[in-house]
Amino acid sequence: MQMSEHGRGLLTQWEGKVNHVYDDSVGIPTIGVGHALTQAERSSGMLAINGSTVPYADGLSDDQ
């Protein structure tokens, strides 16, 4: 599923964007625009973004 730039902007306004891992309001490790980290992502320290696997321990860039 693809999201339009307009939709992405609205989602970012609603969720906010945090480029480092934080615990959300119920204590789930989250990064970016409301992405709850899966157990596999937490174990590996890696995220799949646009077909590439990137580490997130030092945070993500705005482009990621």
Side-chain angles (χ1 to χ4, degrees):
M1 177 186 291
Q2 295 289 322
M3 184 179 291
S4 70
E5 287 299 319
H6 179 71
R8 229 176 281 198
L10 291 173
L11 182 62
T12 301
Q13 283 179 349
W14 176 260
E15 289 282 334
K17 179 174 62 172
V18 181
N19 291 351
H20 61 275
V21 177
Y22 66 97
D23 288 340
D24 71 2
S25 61
V26 294
I28 297 171
T30 305
I31 195 166
V33 181
H35 175 76
L37 294 170
T38 66
Q39 183 61 42
E41 291 166 341
R42 288 183 289 198
S43 296
S44 69
M46 305 291 276
L47 283 173
I49 300 175
N50 295 327
S52 297
T53 304
V54 297
Y56 63 81
D58 293 329
L60 299 174
S61 70
D62 285 338
D63 289 336
Q64 292 171 318

